[in-house]
Amino acid sequence: MDSPDTIRKGYSQWFVLVVAIFITCLISANIIAVKVIGVFGLILPAAIIIFPFSYIFGDVLTEVYGYRQARRVIWLGFLCNLVVISAIWVAQILPPAPFWHGQSSYEQILGFTPRLLAASFIAYLAGEFANSFILAKMKIATNGRWLWTRTIGSTIVGQGLDSLIFIFVAFAGIIPGAELFAAMVTQWLAKSAYETAVTPFTYWAVGFLKQREGIDVYDRDTRFNPLLLRG
């Protein structure tokens, strides 16, 4: 099957479900990332428990529906995240009721500095677009075989860019160089290992959707400019 998404007149319930999970994972990760956890001796943001799923469902979107649809969803995720962050910020600056004493806690947990926001947004766009681009190109190169090479290979690059950009933009000059590099590598390896471990789920989801949707897009004629919303 090689059906361009342009012939689809609407969006199926399965497509909407995948998009909803993708965006939910993204927004949830940004909210809980403020907590730092210690797991097996590793110091990681709590977002590690959910953020890799945005890449997993990003893989599913590109593999089944193609890069063009994934590109739209990536920008939609960016917009939704911006709306959430804006709402949190407006709620923060509004004066609290006299009887409410949670303002400092609210600011500590949900407050975002401009530097952290910039790091998060830039890393998200670079990582997700790299992930989708590489998966789509590898699908053509392998003629749709060896799905695991595409999901893991694209994740290694995408998560690598995400970790490098976020840690560097957010903490360069704050964390010493050696520790900064160690944090980048730790996050990169942890996220990549996460995706590798759930490869059987990715296989199941991709197979299920291709069968239910009757679609399996190859981006042979796609323009890969991330700024385009058409073509």
Side-chain angles (χ1 to χ4, degrees), residues 32-63:
I32 67 175
V34 65
K35 181 173 181 178
V36 179
I37 60 176
V39 181
F40 303 119
L42 300 176
I43 304 301
L44 298 164
I48 191 69
I49 66 176
I50 192 67
F51 182 71
F53 275 97
S54 68
Y55 274 77
I56 294 166
F57 282 94
D59 287 348
V60 172
L61 280 167
T62 304
E63 175 67 24

Side-chain angles (χ1 to χ4, degrees), residues 115-116 119 165-177 180 183 187:
R115 183 172 179 177
L116 285 176
I165 293 172
F166 178 78
I167 296 296
F168 181 80
V169 175
F171 301 111
I174 300 174
I175 299 176
L180 192 73
Q187 283 208 50

Side-chain angles (χ1 to χ4, degrees), residues 10-73:
Y11 298 103
S12 74
Q13 61 179 347
W14 300 110
F15 177 80
V16 173
L17 177 62
V18 173
V19 172
I21 295 174
F22 172 87
I23 294 176
T24 300
C25 290
L26 170 66
I27 294 175
S28 299
N30 283 339
I31 293 174
I32 67 175
V34 65
K35 181 173 181 178
V36 179
I37 60 176
V39 181
F40 303 119
L42 300 176
I43 304 301
L44 298 164
I48 191 69
I49 66 176
I50 192 67
F51 182 71
F53 275 97
S54 68
Y55 274 77
I56 294 166
F57 282 94
D59 287 348
V60 172
L61 280 167
T62 304
E63 175 67 24
V64 178
Y65 302 98
Y67 178 87
R68 281 175 289 184
Q69 291 285 31
R71 175 171 53 201
R72 296 185 182 110
V73 175

Side-chain angles (χ1 to χ4, degrees), residues 12-13 16 39 50 54 80 101 104 119 121 140 145 167 179 184 190 205-206 220 227:
S12 74
Q13 61 179 347
V16 173
V39 181
I50 192 67
S54 68
C80 291
H101 304 293
S104 60
F121 284 139
I140 297 171
R145 296 171 294 176
I167 296 296
E179 294 179 16
M184 292 176 185
V206 166
R220 293 189 176 95
L227 299 180

Side-chain angles (χ1 to χ4, degrees), residues 98-211:
F99 58 83
W100 191 70
H101 304 293
Q103 181 68 19
S104 60
S105 298
Y106 182 98
E107 293 176 359
Q108 182 179 7
I109 300 301
L110 294 178
F112 300 94
T113 66
R115 183 172 179 177
L116 285 176
L117 284 178
S120 176
F121 284 139
I122 295 170
Y124 162 73
L125 290 175
E128 288 289 354
F129 276 119
N131 181 73
S132 185
F133 172 81
I134 290 172
L135 191 145
K137 286 293 189 180
M138 287 184 68
K139 182 175 182 179
I140 297 171
T142 61
N143 198 29
R145 296 171 294 176
W146 311 314
L147 174 61
W148 65 272
T149 64
R150 301 194 292 281
T151 59
I152 296 175
S154 62
T155 294
I156 288 173
V157 176
Q159 293 281 19
L161 278 174
D162 184 279
S163 299
L164 187 153
I165 293 172
F166 178 78
I167 296 296
F168 181 80
V169 175
F171 301 111
I174 300 174
I175 299 176
E179 294 179 16
L180 192 73
F181 178 75
M184 292 176 185
V185 173
T186 299
Q187 283 208 50
W188 174 47
L189 292 178
K191 292 174 182 176
S192 298
Y194 200 138
E195 169 123 1
T196 301
V198 299
T199 295
F201 168 79
T202 307
Y203 263 81
W204 174 83
V206 166
F208 175 85
L209 288 171
K210 286 181 179 179
Q211 182 178 23

